[in-house]
Amino acid sequence: MNERSAVPPSARTTIRRLPELANHDRATFYSILDESYVCHIAFSANNDTHCIPTAHWRKDDYLYIHGSNGSRLIKSLAAGVQTSVAITLLDGLVLAKSAFSHSMNYRSAVIYGHFEIVQGSAEKLEALDVFMDKIAMGRKEEARRGNSKEIAATNILRISLTEVAVKISDSGPSDKDEDIDLPVWAGILPMKMTRGSPVHNENNKDVIIPDYVKTWAD
Amino acid sequence: MNERSAVPPSARTTIRRLPELANHDRATFYSILDESYVCHIAFSANNDTHCIPTAHWRKDDYLYIHGSNGSRLIKSLAAGVQTSVAITLLDGLVLAKSAFSHSMNYRSAVIYGHFEIVQGSAEKLEALDVFMDKIAMGRKEEARRGNSKEIAATNILRISLTEVAVKISDSGPSDKDEDIDLPVWAGILPMKMTRGSPVHNENNKDVIIPDYVKTWAD
């Protein structure tokens, strides 16, 4: 394994359940983050444990999120609380001959660490540009850029992608020998996120439709 | 609002950010749980906060999960630790005239509480039958049912759906008045989970293909 691309496990991220599904390739890990739009963040605040979904994006070796000053999530993470961030892509249901052997195909990443605040307007704008590129390449040149008041009202936080557990399941059913000849259908029922026809806003008169809108739908 | 169908907020689940997106209808809440297959569970163990994805299903007013005895998730939850479970369905990207006003359409539910262990083989089998119905209606009559050893090796936990925050965003972009006439495309880029062509296992000779497989793909 390439040293640069390796994500060596820590005590927290060593995969104990089905260790054969552990995947330590950094390119695979990053493709999970880049393909998904929403992560779930676990953190503690006021003696409660919370699990909150939010949009994410990646720049280099950091995962970024953003939010407003008033949010409990942002305030707690900005205060430096230990956190765990999970991203999961579901790829299908795996139907086996026996009920017990049913499973799912998925790609997941669980990140551990602490978020840090991205300081400085230039740094914040640069991070937001990467987010806009993820939404649609070229869009950052079209939409009105954030002004100083808007940038100031947006908190951007990032977490280093150093302590992670990546788990991938992408195979057919695995039945016991004694079940293999049962007259039961077995196989994979695939699932994937697809893109539907764009809904045009009414105030788009005289607006040239960008290619990323024209080609959006699958 | 129907009292039975109401999900009154607690101090923890009162939605402070964008409260206009809060949705307190139980049917909507349950449709989010029933349409999704994977939840993310936040919990603390050994002084760390974790966020772990797992399959879920619903039966009446409880959310169910399952797992093996050895899993840290199951062991921690079975010990009665306070938890938060989040489920999010992404419905689309919302592109506005200004960068700051971009958002996403989604349906999310965050549940707070404690899991409890489902005791007794009959109760466990009954819960697993509901899970199998979710995977494919009728399948529980086809696949080999779990035997006593398999049932004993499976832990089933459930959490009461009483303390929840449901949040729904399903509208077009909301730009400031001064941005509305900018020559920038605005609208919704929809996303949805779709179902692909089934992958048939090789040991399916002489097996009648069930209707739920034939009609699976969108």
Side-chain angles (χ1 to χ4, degrees):
Chain A
M1 194 193 300
N2 183 329
E3 260 308 299
R4 169 67 185 72
S5 73
V7 186
S10 69
R12 264 192 306 219
T13 60
T14 298
I15 290 172
R16 291 174 187 83
R17 297 304 310 158
L18 305 177
E20 67 277 17
L21 302 181
N23 185 300
H24 302 139
D25 174 70
R26 191 161 280 267
T28 307
F29 168 39
Y30 284 180
S31 73
I32 296 168
L33 306 186
D34 296 347
E35 186 177 327
S36 56
Y37 291 89
V38 175
C39 64
H40 286 84
I41 303 185
F43 64 99
S44 287
N46 304 327
N47 297 317
D48 286 320
T49 301
H50 304 273
C51 189
I52 303 292
T54 196
H56 72 266
W57 69 99
R58 183 183 65 83
K59 180 170 172 280
D60 302 329
D61 298 332
Y62 289 89
L63 182 96
Y64 287 74
I65 63 166
H66 74 318
S68 71
N69 296 316
S71 127
R72 179 178 55 197
L73 170 69
I74 296 296
K75 278 192 286 194
S76 302
L77 298 180
V81 68
Q82 180 262 317
T83 187
S84 173
V85 183
I87 290 123
T88 309
L89 294 165
L90 177 62
D91 293 325
L93 309 180
V94 181
L95 276 58
K97 305 263 174 177
S98 79
F100 192 74
S101 296
H102 281 61
S103 63
M104 289 181 180
N105 279 339
Y106 62 87
R107 290 163 287 154
S108 75
V110 177
I111 303 156
Y112 287 89
H114 300 78
F115 277 89
E116 59 183 345
I117 301 169
V118 175
Q119 307 279 7
S121 296
E123 289 76 8
K124 289 165 81 172
L125 262 174
E126 199 183 327
L128 287 169
D129 277 352
V130 177
F131 189 24
M132 197 63 97
D133 279 344
K134 177 177 179 173
I135 293 169
M137 192 56 75
R139 179 135 188 111
K140 66 174 186 279
E141 322 290 346
E142 302 164 7
R144 176 176 69 69
R145 260 199 149 187
N147 58 37
S148 55
K149 197 175 154 193
E150 289 167 341
I151 298 295
T154 306
N155 285 285
I156 299 179
L157 280 76
R158 68 178 194 176
I159 186 169
S160 173
L161 299 172
T162 44
E163 190 179 351
V164 302
V166 177
K167 211 164 166 182
I168 293 177
S169 182
D170 63 353
S171 58
S174 172
D175 269 303
K176 292 174 187 164
D177 288 346
E178 61 263 37
D179 291 327
I180 279 192
D181 292 325
L182 290 176
V184 181
W185 187 85
I188 302 169
L189 299 179
M191 307 188 79
K192 70 167 178 172
M193 203 57 153
T194 54
R195 310 191 290 183
S197 300
V199 178
H200 301 263
N201 218 23
E202 56 190 16
N203 55 347
N204 278 337
K205 300 185 284 263
D206 306 324
V207 170
I208 297 164
I209 301 177
D211 282 343
Y212 55 77
V213 175
K214 286 183 196 160
T215 61
W216 174 258
D218 283 291
Chain B
M1 196 194 300
N2 183 329
E3 260 308 300
R4 169 65 185 70
S5 74
V7 187
S10 69
R12 266 192 304 220
T13 60
T14 298
I15 290 172
R16 294 175 185 83
R17 299 301 315 157
L18 305 176
E20 66 277 15
L21 301 182
N23 185 298
H24 301 140
D25 175 70
R26 189 160 280 267
T28 306
F29 167 40
Y30 284 1
S31 74
I32 295 169
L33 305 187
D34 295 347
E35 187 177 326
S36 56
Y37 291 88
V38 175
C39 65
H40 287 83
I41 303 185
F43 64 100
S44 286
N46 304 327
N47 297 317
D48 287 321
T49 301
H50 303 274
C51 190
I52 303 293
T54 195
H56 72 266
W57 70 97
R58 182 182 65 81
K59 180 170 171 283
D60 302 328
D61 298 332
Y62 289 88
L63 183 94
Y64 288 74
I65 64 167
H66 73 319
S68 71
N69 295 316
S71 126
R72 179 177 55 196
L73 171 69
I74 296 295
K75 280 192 285 193
S76 302
L77 298 180
V81 67
Q82 181 262 315
T83 187
S84 172
V85 184
I87 290 124
T88 308
L89 295 164
L90 177 62
D91 293 325
L93 309 179
V94 181
L95 276 57
K97 304 265 175 176
S98 78
F100 192 74
S101 296
H102 281 59
S103 62
M104 289 181 180
N105 279 339
Y106 61 88
R107 289 163 287 152
S108 75
V110 177
I111 302 156
Y112 286 90
H114 300 77
F115 277 90
E116 59 183 345
I117 301 169
V118 176
Q119 307 279 5
S121 296
E123 289 75 9
K124 288 165 82 172
L125 263 175
E126 198 183 327
L128 287 169
D129 277 351
V130 177
F131 189 24
M132 197 64 97
D133 280 343
K134 178 177 179 175
I135 292 168
M137 193 56 76
R139 180 135 187 109
K140 67 173 184 279
E141 323 290 346
E142 300 165 7
R144 177 177 68 69
R145 259 196 149 188
N147 58 38
S148 56
K149 196 176 157 193
E150 290 168 341
I151 298 296
T154 306
N155 286 285
I156 299 180
L157 281 76
R158 67 177 195 176
I159 187 170
S160 173
L161 299 173
T162 44
E163 190 178 349
V164 302
V166 177
K167 212 164 166 183
I168 292 176
S169 183
D170 62 352
S171 57
S174 171
D175 269 303
K176 293 173 185 164
D177 288 346
E178 61 263 37
D179 291 328
I180 279 192
D181 292 325
L182 290 176
V184 181
W185 187 86
I188 302 169
L189 299 179
M191 307 189 80
K192 69 166 178 172
M193 203 57 153
T194 53
R195 310 191 289 183
S197 300
V199 179
H200 300 263
N201 217 24
E202 56 191 16
N203 55 346
N204 278 336
K205 303 185 281 264
D206 306 324
V207 170
I208 296 164
I209 300 177
D211 282 344
Y212 56 77
V213 174
K214 286 184 195 159
T215 61
W216 174 258
D218 284 291

